[in-house]
Amino acid sequence: MEIVTHTWDLAEALGHREELDPEPAEFALATARQVLPDFRPRDENTPFDTRHQAPEGAGAYEQLAAWMGRRPLDRA
């Protein structure tokens, strides 16, 4: 889960726009939803920020990133 999330972090930081294999992200997202469910609050003891809503039509990596509290960089 962490390695796949950090893969997204690195790709986002480098501006990598090629498609990443969605299978690891789908597995990691399913795991994240079990380990970090919405009903459990995330506080200073949780290593991930509060979940964000993924944009409509987001792929597996974007959904995982949002679940883990990440937001895409603003490149505008």
Side-chain angles (χ1 to χ4, degrees):
M1 179 178 77
E2 283 194 54
I3 290 171
V4 176
T5 302
H6 291 313
T7 298
W8 179 87
D9 290 336
L10 186 57
E12 181 66 17
L14 295 173
H16 182 68
R17 295 293 170 216
E18 292 183 34
E19 189 69 30
L20 297 169
D21 181 2
E23 189 174 344
E26 291 164 356
F27 180 81
L29 179 58
T31 302
R33 287 180 171 154
Q34 290 178 358
V35 175
L36 298 166
D38 267 346
F39 63 83
R40 241 176 61 202
R42 298 184 191 179
D43 57 21
E44 66 276 352
N45 296 319
T46 307
F48 305 103
D49 202 357
T50 303
R51 180 178 79 88
H52 301 289
Q53 187 67 34
E56 186 73 29
Y61 277 92
E62 291 79 14
Q63 290 178 48
L64 174 63
W67 194 270
M68 302 298 271
R70 276 124 161 106
R71 294 182 190 270
L73 294 174
D74 182 10
R75 299 196 185 278

